[in-house]
Amino acid sequence: MCWGGRWAPGAGLVAGGEWLRRQPSQRAFASVGAAQIPPALTAAGIALMFVSVYAAFVLYGIVSAPVAFVLMAAVALAAIALSLLHGPSIAFLGILGGFLTPALVTTQTPSALALFPYLLFLTVAGLGVVRYRAWWPIAWLTLLGATAWPLLWFAVSWHPGDTPILAIYLLAVLALFVLVRHGFPVPAPADSWLTRLGAVPQTDRLVWSAAVAAAILTFVLVRVDGYEAVSLIALALLGAFMLVVARREANLDLLALPALVATLGLLLIWHLPDIINQYGYVAGAAGWRYEL
């Protein structure tokens, strides 16, 4: 069977799921669970298309890595779009498949310029669904995927020239999570920060998590980049953005705190070895016993 024949059953299941969703008879059987049949067929079709492309790339060598990447990414984005019709389970499948695609389809020369714009586009798609459907588990899955990939990149594929790409990506991801907060009810600020801490809404928890993740990743970026100018500018821009959000958004007046902690930590680590060495030299010259 040719590869097109392997792809066709998955597309047929997706089409069948959409056809069943449009049938008036679905409303008559919703009480006995028949309304779950279209999402189930759609999910099965999407999974089958993922597996077909991956098998064509890994097992049979029919398609190249770039073609397999594009096809799997297209399936993931199609799943996210179909989730608006079939429910959050399809969005979960699309987001998960989209973030796993770069790990499944690898090349000998990974490129940050190819990977991170794709991840940013996938983040936009995932948060777009959240914005219109308020499916918060999808937002948390999107945050996990969007922040896990930079850590993996630092560990496996980092090159000094990647700094501007990572800096723009991290700032853009944080901005997207701040934007998705708009349009949802924001409670009035509490009288005390203890009361506020105990009643943080879902939207604010998401923004805070994104801010902490962005601060940690920028901290790692500055460290691996050796405190070069571009990474330090990225840290300054992140802090400035958090400060602006903290000044303008209700209940987020402490949002600049993660960037402040990251900055102080970087400064401490940057100068602490020199301070220790200088102290050890002075103590030795004075005849004190000093052991590091």
Side-chain angles (χ1 to χ4, degrees):
M1 182 184 293
C2 67
W3 175 61
R6 298 176 188 275
W7 176 281
L13 287 173
V14 172
E18 177 60 19
W19 181 80
L20 282 176
R21 186 189 67 84
R22 298 187 180 196
Q23 298 308 302
S25 60
Q26 282 300 112
R27 293 193 292 270
F29 295 99
S31 61
V32 295
Q36 299 303 317
I37 295 177
L41 286 177
T42 303
I46 290 168
L48 186 56
M49 285 192 286
F50 267 123
V51 172
S52 298
V53 178
Y54 185 67
F57 168 62
V58 174
L59 299 180
Y60 304 105
I62 299 174
V63 296
S64 63
V67 173
F69 184 92
V70 170
L71 290 175
M72 293 180 72
V75 173
L77 294 174
I80 295 172
L82 287 170
S83 72
L84 296 173
L85 302 175
H86 292 278
S89 60
I90 308 300
F92 182 90
L93 186 61
I95 293 293
L96 183 63
F99 280 115
L100 286 178
T101 292
L104 296 174
V105 183
T106 58
T107 64
Q108 296 296 326
T109 57
S111 170
L113 189 58
L115 175 63
F116 287 99
Y118 162 74
L119 295 176
L120 189 60
F121 186 77
L122 186 62
T123 302
V124 170
L127 292 182
V129 170
V130 174
R131 178 64 180 79
Y132 286 103
R133 297 296 192 188
W135 293 334
W136 297 111
I138 301 301
W140 290 105
L141 179 63
T142 302
L143 178 61
L144 177 63
T147 54
W149 266 109
L151 284 177
L152 183 62
W153 189 265
F154 288 138
V156 177
S157 304
W158 166 258
H159 298 287
D162 298 338
T163 303
I165 300 171
L166 266 297
I168 294 172
Y169 172 79
L170 294 175
L171 189 59
V173 165
L174 178 57
L176 288 172
F177 279 91
V178 172
L179 287 174
V180 81
R181 177 178 182 265
H182 287 278
F184 294 99
V186 178
D191 295 333
S192 68
W193 68 272
L194 285 174
T195 305
R196 188 184 312 174
L197 187 63
V200 178
Q202 181 88 255
T203 52
D204 289 0
R205 290 200 299 269
L206 189 65
V207 173
W208 266 101
S209 300
V212 171
I216 292 173
L217 291 170
T218 306
F219 178 94
V220 177
L221 176 64
V222 174
R223 290 289 296 171
V224 299
D225 194 46
Y227 294 85
E228 294 294 335
V230 176
S231 58
L232 291 175
I233 291 173
L235 178 63
L237 290 176
L238 182 73
F241 177 75
M242 289 183 178
L243 185 60
V244 170
V245 174
R247 290 291 302 271
R248 294 177 60 89
E249 299 292 332
N251 295 335
L252 294 178
D253 47 332
L254 297 177
L255 192 67
L257 188 60
L260 176 61
V261 172
T263 302
L264 293 176
L266 285 167
L267 290 174
L268 182 63
I269 296 174
W270 192 5
H271 294 293
L272 186 59
D274 293 336
I275 294 173
I276 292 176
N277 290 335
Q278 183 179 5
Y279 174 76
Y281 174 78
V282 172
W288 302 337
R289 183 178 179 182
Y290 173 79
E291 294 181 1
L292 181 60

